[in-house]
């Protein structure tokens, strides 16, 4: 797009505010100067949430959380070695790691951060082993 980055970000913020319920928290949203890494499943040409198997991510398109938060890791390596709950819909799928810009108030959830919206800006890894669920990771660390 020929639109300057600042204008594109302003447009994305307006879209977030429009798509999410109006509340005091949403009205106070500002861009977070945070770059994170998001582990997603690869299904054909689609990049999908490992957890719900439905939320789709596309480069340079804002993804807004409608029910839950969107989780990101502070480093590429942490995203690459992410493990997921056993009930995750796409456990065992091939993974991609996306570099993302994070929006909305962030909160810490263990090693990862939760945000209301992310903007994927690059695929940084697409050649890693299938995801491991939490149980497999715990077992591998024990034995």
């Amino acid at each position: 797009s020929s639109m300057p980055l600042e204008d594109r970000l302003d447009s994305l913020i307006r879209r977030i505010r429009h798509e999410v319920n109006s509340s005091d928290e949403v009205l106070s949203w500002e861009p977070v100067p945070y770059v994170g890494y998001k582990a997603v499943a690869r299904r054909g040409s689609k990049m999908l949430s490992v957890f719900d198997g439905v939320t789709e991510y596309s480069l340079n398109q804002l993804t807004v959380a409608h029910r839950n938060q969107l989780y990101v890791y502070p480093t590429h390596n942490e995203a690459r070695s992410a493990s997921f709950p056993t009930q995750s819909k796409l456990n065992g799928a091939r993974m991609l790691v996306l570099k993302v810009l994070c929006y909305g108030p962030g909160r810490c959830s263990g090693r990862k951060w939760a945000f209301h919206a992310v903007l994927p800006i690059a695929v940084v890894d697409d050649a890693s082993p299938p995801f491991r669920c939490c149980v497999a990771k715990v077992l591998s660390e024990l034995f």
Side-chain angles (χ1 to χ4, degrees), residues 39 41 51-52 55 72 75 79 83 90 128:
F51 183 73
D52 70 20
T55 303
V72 301
T75 68
S83 57
L90 295 180
S128 52

Side-chain angles (χ1 to χ4, degrees), residues 35-109:
V35 174
Y37 296 86
K38 174 84 179 148
V40 298
R42 178 178 57 202
R43 286 283 195 226
S45 62
K46 292 186 177 185
M47 298 182 291
L48 302 169
S49 164
V50 175
F51 183 73
D52 70 20
V54 175
T55 303
E56 189 168 352
Y57 298 87
S58 298
L59 291 179
N60 301 312
Q61 291 189 3
L62 189 69
T63 301
V64 178
H66 293 286
R67 292 186 190 158
N68 298 309
Q69 302 273 303
L70 302 174
Y71 292 95
V72 301
Y73 290 87
T75 68
H76 165 256
N77 285 337
E78 287 175 300
R80 189 170 195 254
S81 62
S83 57
F84 294 86
T86 54
Q87 72 270 24
S88 296
K89 304 293 186 211
L90 295 180
N91 263 334
R94 301 298 292 181
M95 80 172 206
L96 296 173
V97 175
L98 303 175
K99 187 174 190 177
V100 297
L101 298 178
C102 305
Y103 294 90
R107 69 176 176 80
C108 186
S109 177

